[in-house]
Amino acid sequence: RDKKGAAIADDDVDTVHYWIYAPGENSCMWENFYAEGIMAIGWGKIGDLKAFDSKDAMKTKMKETFGTSLSYKNAAHTTWQFANNMKVGDVVFVKKGRYQLVGRGIVTSDYEYDGERDDEYGNIRKVNWTHKGEWPHPGCHEDFNGHYRIWRLCRKIKCFI
């Protein structure tokens, strides 16, 4: 194994990852994003997330842009995952609050930055939304924090799959 923890046999394996995603505070952007066939996260004021070569570089830009009162550790991790770790074919579950799911979709594009949007959600991926409704949240990682906008699931969610 190398430092990243991947086994040699995993190099050619195309693994699907499952993500929990919040489209704005209390899913306020869900209807818009569903209609547009996208998922998007904020942080548009720091620009194109692909311009950063590390999470630390993102944190530095966040502090320059939004102030130094926060560490931005979780924000940088989230934005890094969205731009660099999520991939086409991954499954996204849309959450509303801490205990409800309102949608499910499959990522269909790489990360894109749209600096022309008239809101803060310039960091985008296209998604084929396959489910829309309301379901109880089936559980979450014990370290889950309601402030995260996207979270990779470490265990399978049995509903929808």
Side-chain angles (χ1 to χ4, degrees):
R1 289 185 179 224
D2 63 17
K3 292 180 184 176
K4 294 180 184 176
I8 292 171
D10 291 343
D11 286 344
D12 294 329
V13 176
D14 193 18
T15 303
V16 172
H17 291 151
Y18 298 85
W19 304 84
I20 292 252
Y21 162 68
E25 190 71 32
N26 202 33
S27 294
C28 65
M29 298 300 291
W30 169 233
E31 294 298 329
N32 293 3
F33 293 168
Y34 180 84
E36 291 179 62
I38 65 167
M39 66 184 296
I41 60 172
W43 304 103
K45 289 183 180 179
I46 67 168
D48 186 342
L49 301 178
K50 285 291 194 175
F52 300 97
D53 61 2
S54 69
K55 292 177 194 176
D56 285 335
M58 286 182 172
K59 283 193 288 190
T60 299
K61 183 65 173 180
M62 289 172 178
K63 287 179 181 184
E64 289 172 5
T65 306
F66 301 105
T68 59
S69 63
L70 301 173
S71 75
Y72 298 100
K73 179 181 176 183
N74 291 337
H77 181 70
T78 298
T79 52
W80 183 266
Q81 284 188 313
F82 187 80
N84 297 289
N85 299 132
M86 186 177 278
K87 65 184 182 326
V88 172
D90 282 357
V91 177
V92 177
F93 293 92
V94 181
K95 74 180 197 76
K96 181 176 183 179
R98 296 184 109 184
Y99 303 105
Q100 185 177 47
L101 295 175
V102 293
R104 177 199 182 269
I106 300 170
V107 177
T108 60
S109 79
D110 290 330
Y111 165 80
E112 301 172 14
Y113 176 68
D114 182 356
E116 301 297 315
R117 284 188 68 96
D118 60 359
D119 58 25
E120 66 181 285
Y121 299 96
N123 300 296
I124 297 169
R125 283 182 177 267
K126 293 183 177 118
V127 177
N128 174 24
W129 296 115
T130 60
H131 293 73
K132 184 179 179 191
E134 294 182 0
W135 301 271
H137 192 290
C140 57
H141 189 278
E142 62 190 48
D143 291 334
F144 180 79
N145 178 329
H147 299 289
Y148 285 2
R149 293 288 177 244
I150 188 166
W151 184 266
R152 193 174 113 198
L153 295 175
C154 295
R155 58 183 177 226
K156 290 184 180 177
I157 295 179
K158 301 221 184 221
C159 61
F160 303 125
I161 298 179

